Amino acid sequence: MRTLLSVALLASPAVALDPADVVVVFNPKADGSKDVADHYRAKRNVPPENLVGLDLPTTEDITRADYDGKLAAPLRAALKDRKDKVKVILTVYGVPLRVGRQQPTAAEAAEADALKPELDAHKATVAELQKAEKPDKVLIAAAQAKVRETSARVGKLTHSESHACVDSELMLLWWPEYPLDRWVPNPLNWRFPSDRRAVLPRVLITARLDGPTPAIAKRLVDDALTAEATGLQGKAYIDARGIRYDAKTPTDGGTGYAGYDESFREAAGLLKAGKVAVVLDDEDPLFAPGSCPDAALYGGWYALTRYTPCCKFVPGAVAWHLASGEAASLRNPDTKQWCVNLLKDGAAVTMGPVAEPYTVGFPKPAEFFGFLATGHYTVAECYARTALLTSWMTVFVGDPLYNPYAKAPKLKEEAVTPSPAGSGNIFK
C-alpha cells in the first residue's frame, strides 16, 4: 500500500509539446503493438530512443503487482536519466488498459469478514422496517445510514475502489507515495492552486493509441495529420438532456448531473461564439442514428453501454460520450460501449472510463471543448488541463500531439471560463 503524500496536487501544465517530449510505451509480446509504436514514431518524428518496450500481459487487465513490478518500475528505470524532459507517456495497442485493485492485508481481510454479518443485519433491519404497515421514515433513514456506514468501512478495508485506468496511474509515475483508494485530484487541471502545485512532484500527461485493431490505432495518427493540414472542418453536435442547473445553490462544484448538463450547453454556446456550426439537442433522447453528418466534434450523454451511431465523422473528429464503463474494453469489436464504437466509426479522439467513474471522472465539457477550440493546446493537453482526477478511471485515446485548431483558432483563451458558471472551484 502506498501512503499519502498529499491529496492536493499539480506540476504545472505543459505547453508547446514537441515529439521529443513523448515517450511511447509498447508491449513486444502483443502482436501489432510495436507496429503501432513504430508507425507513430515515423509519422511524428519521435526520437527512436523514446520508444520503450516492456514485457507485459497481453490482456487489457493487469494486476496491481504486475503494474508496479512490470510496468511502473521498469518505466521509471528507463526514464530516470531524462526525468525532467519527458512530458507525455503514450501507451499503444497491446499495453494493458486497467490495473486491478490493491489487495487487502490479512488483518484488513479479517476485519472486513467480521463486519459482513453486521452489514447483513443492518440490511435486514431496513427490509423489516420497510415492510411495516406504517413505515417509520426516521427509523428507516437511521438504519439505511448504518448500512452505508458499514458498507463504506468494508469497502475501505477491501480496497474496492483502488482499481484504475493504467494511463491515469501513469500520470503519477514520479510520485513515490499516494493513496490508491479512489482518486487523487489532478494537479494539471488549470484551476488547481499554483502554490499547492509548486511543492508536488512532476505529473505527466498521458494518452493512448488503441482500438479493436492495430490498423484503427494507426488511423488515429493518420487522421490527426490529415485534419492538421487544413484545420478541423465540420459541425459540432452537443447532446444535452435538458436538466436545469441552479447556480445560486451549488453544492457539488458543478460535478453532479445538472452541472454537467449545463456544461454541455455552455460548450455549445462557446463553440457557436467561435463560429463553429453547432447543433444542440437539449432533450433527453439521444441524437437519432445517422442524424449527425459532417461531425467534427461530438459530446453527449447518458446511454450506458448503448452506443447509437448518430455521427458520420470527418477525419480527425473528437468525440466522447459521458457514461459509466464506456472504455471497459477498447479492443472488443462486439461491445456496445461507446469508445470502441466511436473509434470503429471514425473518431480520431475519444475518452471514457474503464469502470464506474462518477460524473466527476470526466472533464467539464465546456472547458475541454473550449480549450480545444482556442488552438493553443493539443488534444492531450486539453484533457490534462480539464480532467479533475488522476489515479482514477478515465482513459484518453488519441494522438497527444494532435492540435485540430492550431491553424484556425475559433476562440480566444479568455473566453474559456470555469464551467458551469457560478459553480465554484472544487480544488479549494
Side-chain angles (χ1 to χ4, degrees):
M1 174 179 174
R2 302 172 204 174
T3 57
L4 178 65
L5 171 64
S6 171
V7 150
L9 35 331
L10 195 43
S12 69
V15 292
L17 288 183
D18 181 88
D21 298 327
V22 181
V23 165
V24 184
V25 178
F26 67 95
N27 182 4
K29 290 170 60 177
D31 291 342
S33 186
K34 185 152 190 309
D35 287 344
V36 175
D38 286 339
H39 184 79
Y40 189 74
R41 182 195 62 76
K43 291 288 185 174
R44 285 297 193 183
N45 296 313
V46 172
E49 62 270 22
N50 281 22
L51 268 62
V52 178
L54 299 176
D55 185 5
L56 301 168
T58 57
T59 57
E60 289 189 277
D61 287 283
I62 187 170
T63 65
R64 178 62 63 174
D66 279 351
Y67 171 83
D68 290 335
K70 294 184 176 181
L71 203 168
L75 185 56
R76 288 189 199 101
L79 302 181
K80 63 182 175 60
D81 294 334
R82 40 194 173 133
K83 177 177 178 179
D84 294 334
K85 296 179 181 179
V86 174
K87 296 178 181 177
V88 181
I89 300 294
L90 174 64
T91 55
V92 303
Y93 180 92
V95 173
L97 172 67
R98 180 175 39 248
V99 56
R101 71 185 189 182
Q102 177 184 355
Q103 292 302 304
T105 65
E108 288 172 330
E111 187 177 347
D113 286 343
L115 282 171
K116 287 175 183 176
E118 180 182 331
L119 177 59
D120 290 340
H122 291 318
K123 289 178 178 178
T125 298
V126 171
E128 285 300 316
L129 289 170
Q130 290 174 332
K131 288 179 187 175
E133 185 175 343
K134 294 182 178 180
D136 187 319
K137 293 181 180 179
V138 174
L139 290 177
I140 290 172
Q144 289 173 330
K146 288 289 187 183
V147 170
R148 289 193 297 272
E149 178 184 331
T150 311
S151 293
R153 180 61 183 156
V154 170
K156 190 165 185 62
L157 288 166
T158 58
H159 307 290
S160 61
E161 289 188 298
S162 61
H163 54 304
C165 170
V166 163
D167 300 9
S168 189
E169 291 284 22
L170 287 174
M171 293 179 75
L172 303 184
L173 183 69
W174 299 122
W175 285 50
E177 297 178 336
Y178 59 91
L180 295 180
D181 290 313
R182 284 206 160 188
W183 53 71
V184 178
N186 175 24
L188 296 180
N189 188 282
W190 69 297
R191 302 190 69 201
F192 195 89
S194 58
D195 58 336
R196 288 162 60 189
R197 175 185 306 157
V199 300
L200 295 167
R202 284 174 55 81
V203 179
L204 295 168
I205 294 172
T206 60
R208 176 173 288 256
L209 295 178
D210 213 331
T213 65
I216 287 176
K218 293 176 185 178
R219 177 188 57 76
L220 307 185
V221 186
D222 299 339
D223 284 359
L225 290 166
T226 296
E228 282 181 341
T230 57
L232 183 62
Q233 306 292 323
K235 298 178 181 178
Y237 292 91
I238 304 296
D239 200 349
R241 298 171 58 193
I243 304 172
R244 297 301 105 184
Y245 176 72
D246 184 359
K248 294 179 181 178
T249 57
T251 59
D252 56 8
T255 60
Y257 279 20
Y260 273 84
D261 208 48
E262 182 70 9
S263 191
F264 275 117
R265 286 186 289 274
E266 290 179 352
L270 267 178
L271 294 169
K272 283 182 182 178
K275 308 300 182 186
V276 177
V278 176
V279 178
L280 170 64
D281 178 358
D282 199 20
E283 302 294 331
D284 193 50
L286 301 181
F287 284 119
S291 64
C292 304
D294 195 32
L297 304 176
Y298 165 81
W301 69 322
Y302 181 88
L304 177 61
T305 319
R306 194 159 42 90
Y307 177 69
T308 300
C310 55
C311 292
K312 177 66 175 176
F313 293 114
V314 302
V318 178
W320 56 280
H321 187 87
L322 194 160
S324 302
E326 300 307 325
S329 173
L330 291 175
R331 297 175 207 154
N332 178 2
D334 300 320
T335 182
K336 296 299 183 183
Q337 295 161 11
W338 279 80
C339 285
V340 165
N341 286 287
L342 288 167
L343 296 172
K344 284 171 58 179
D345 282 354
V349 175
T350 192
M351 70 179 84
V354 302
E356 174 57 60
Y358 311 109
T359 49
V360 73
F362 288 85
K364 301 290 183 65
E367 295 176 7
F368 175 80
F369 284 116
F371 283 123
L372 188 69
T374 68
H376 290 178
Y377 304 100
T378 71
V379 290
E381 287 177 298
C382 289
Y383 175 73
R385 286 178 64 81
T386 57
L388 297 166
L389 310 172
T390 66
S391 185
W392 194 229
M393 301 301 180
T394 304
V395 60
F396 181 80
V397 183
D399 175 356
L401 296 177
Y402 175 36
N403 188 334
Y405 294 109
K407 289 189 175 180
K410 303 298 182 183
L411 293 173
K412 299 289 187 183
E413 191 163 357
E414 54 267 28
V416 185
T417 56
S419 179
S423 59
N425 188 348
I426 68 169
F427 295 109
K428 291 184 177 178

